[in-house]
């Protein structure tokens, strides 16, 4: 159980680095560029990309922090021989861990859509 939380946190951290790399590499389109056929569409695609990447950053950060904190608390409670406290904490954070997992999935989908939009530009 505990090693799985560590894996989710590492995946979220790596995904966060990739998202930030894409975020910094997407150039803002200039309205007077002669190569752009549809400047308004290009601007809309850019804005949608930025919104998707911001959402992906937030979701990935939430996942990483949640799983790291849960891992720290569970290892501490087991290290102090508080098995009952561990069980109660693990049951109490079940919903939080579930939302963090789905946040990671949402972050991946958001990143994939933003990356696909980057291929358009």
């Amino acid at each position: 159980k505990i090693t799985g939380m560590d894996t989710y946190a590492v995946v979220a951290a790596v995904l966060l680095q990739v998202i930030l790399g894409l975020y910094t590499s997407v150039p803002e389109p200039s309205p007077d560029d002669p190569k752009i056929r549809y400047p308004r569409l290009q601007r809309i695609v850019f804005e949608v990309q930025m919104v998707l990447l911001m959402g992906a950053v937030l979701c990935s950060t939430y996942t990483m922090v949640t799983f790291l904190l849960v891992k720290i608390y569970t290892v501490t409670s087991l290290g102090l021989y508080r098995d009952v406290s561990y069980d109660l904490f693990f049951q109490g954070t079940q919903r939080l861990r579930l939302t963090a997992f789905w946040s990671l999935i949402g972050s991946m989908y958001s990143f994939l859509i933003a990356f696909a939009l980057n291929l358009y530009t």
Side-chain angles (χ1 to χ4, degrees):
K1 289 181 185 180
I2 297 174
T3 57
M5 289 183 274
D6 208 18
T7 305
Y8 288 133
V10 169
V11 167
V14 170
L15 182 63
L16 185 62
Q17 287 180 328
V18 172
I19 292 168
L20 289 177
L22 180 63
Y23 186 77
T24 58
S25 70
V26 175
E28 185 172 0
S30 63
D32 56 347
D33 189 3
K35 293 185 224 174
I36 299 175
R37 288 179 64 180
Y38 306 106
R40 187 169 179 197
L41 179 63
Q42 189 82 14
R43 185 69 187 177
I44 291 170
V45 167
F46 173 75
E47 294 295 333
V48 168
Q49 247 181 325
M50 290 298 113
V51 168
L52 287 171
L53 288 174
M54 282 187 269
V57 165
L58 289 174
C59 289
S60 185
T61 304
Y62 172 72
T63 300
M64 182 182 63
V65 170
T66 300
F67 280 114
L68 285 177
L69 287 177
V70 168
K71 165 115 181 184
I72 289 170
Y73 291 144
T74 55
V75 168
T76 302
S77 67
L78 287 176
L80 295 173
Y81 302 108
R82 296 189 175 157
D83 296 343
V84 175
S85 298
Y86 164 76
D87 285 336
L88 290 174
F89 178 75
F90 211 69
Q91 289 173 2
T93 59
Q94 181 180 3
R95 191 164 141 196
L96 187 70
R97 289 181 285 121
L98 191 61
T99 57
F101 172 77
W102 285 110
S103 178
L104 178 64
I105 299 298
S107 177
M108 286 183 192
Y109 280 134
S110 180
F111 168 71
L112 287 174
I113 293 169
F115 187 75
L117 287 174
N118 192 36
L119 294 177
Y120 170 75
T121 61

